[in-house]
Amino acid sequence: MPRRVHLHVGAPKSGTTYLQSRLHANRRELHRHGISYPHGPLGDQRVHYWAALEATETDHGVAPERVRGAWSRLLRQVRAARGDVLLSHEVLAKATEAQAGRVLKDLESTGAQIHLVFTVRDLARELSGAWQETLKFGGRRPFARFLASAREGNSAFMEGFDPIRVLTVWGERLPAEQIHVVTAPPAGGPPDLLWHRFLEAIDVRPEWVPHEAVRANESVGIAEAHLLRRINRRLGEEARRGGRYSPLIDGLVVGRALGPRTSERITLGPADHPWVLERSQAWVDWLRDRGVEVHGDLEDLLPAAPADDWTDPDEPMPGQVASAAVDVIAALLDELHDRPVTPVQRARHVWARLRR
């Protein structure tokens, strides 16, 4: 029977991919200290993702056989654990009250004490990251339209960003000392600071987990965002989650070609800063009043003012977009050149990917 379950429910775009990758890289070290981070065959950590999809009834185009029964399979690992258990996926942030209630009821049935963990970054950076995420999966809207939708409450991402909504849904039945809010440090801070704040929240000592993350969510700049929108318009539904081109866009176009480029970053401008600051301040005030355990500084959630030389991400920049397109073509040619052509080469290629 587990002693404690640390349930990390988001928020999206708050460093979750980095944290999950680093937990996964240290899963054996965690196990030696009596802490379980569940995984599937060959160390597949997508079991958290599939379980979150089922628990929240979310369709990301994943094969139904992966999702069906995923929460029950994960719960069996929780029941079999001794000591602490870590569960983590940001899809859980969008859960309804009924969905969260079912998950908590199942976890409480194990006899474990539940600790809720919510990582959060300042809203300006979360919105910038969220728009980029939509572009990775077929989105075509300009940045201004995306922000207007978020301001009016019509953006699905906003449900997961809002700590008042998420912590009310997930934490209403929990005492304040079992609700942990981890604030992401401002841009330019020490690279390990978020990780150390997260470890403090889950009661893990840094020396227990020495390995670095093997992946993080790639971000793109303004020129790359323009290119992705044009690609998505051309490919239509096949670029969206579940479409045949979606894995190539996320993994190859963004991961290999566009993510490593150093171009001008996407940030909020003067027109949107006031409402984002006002909403962020309301969240900070609510968190202080709620009395949750804060790991970091709530002031980190207040967005920085836009730069004087801010560039509108919706402004055309054909030269830079063309340069990004050439990099994508080069990455695609490399992929075609390296693609296995014989059955033996294909088998070796698949095995190498599985081992990674």
Side-chain angles (χ1 to χ4, degrees), residues 4 6 113-120 163 167 171 174-184 197-198 200-203 284 286-298 301:
R4 291 182 300 185
H6 294 279
Q113 184 183 73
I114 312 301
H115 284 255
L116 187 70
V117 182
F118 187 70
T119 48
V120 59
L167 297 183
L174 297 175
E177 62 268 20
Q178 288 172 223
I179 301 174
H180 304 265
V181 172
V182 180
T183 64
R197 290 176 176 181
F198 183 76
E200 181 182 85
I202 63 175
D203 199 20
V284 168
W286 185 89
L287 289 168
R288 283 203 180 102
D289 292 342
R290 180 67 171 82
V292 299
E293 296 289 323
V294 176
H295 305 271
D297 190 341
L298 289 178
L301 304 185

Side-chain angles (χ1 to χ4, degrees), residues 64-86:
E65 61 270 18
R66 295 286 194 189
V67 177
R68 192 180 305 115
W71 171 247
S72 295
R73 292 192 292 273
L74 187 62
L75 187 62
R76 283 198 292 272
Q77 291 197 55
V78 175
R79 292 185 187 280
R82 298 293 180 268
D84 288 357
V85 179
L86 304 174

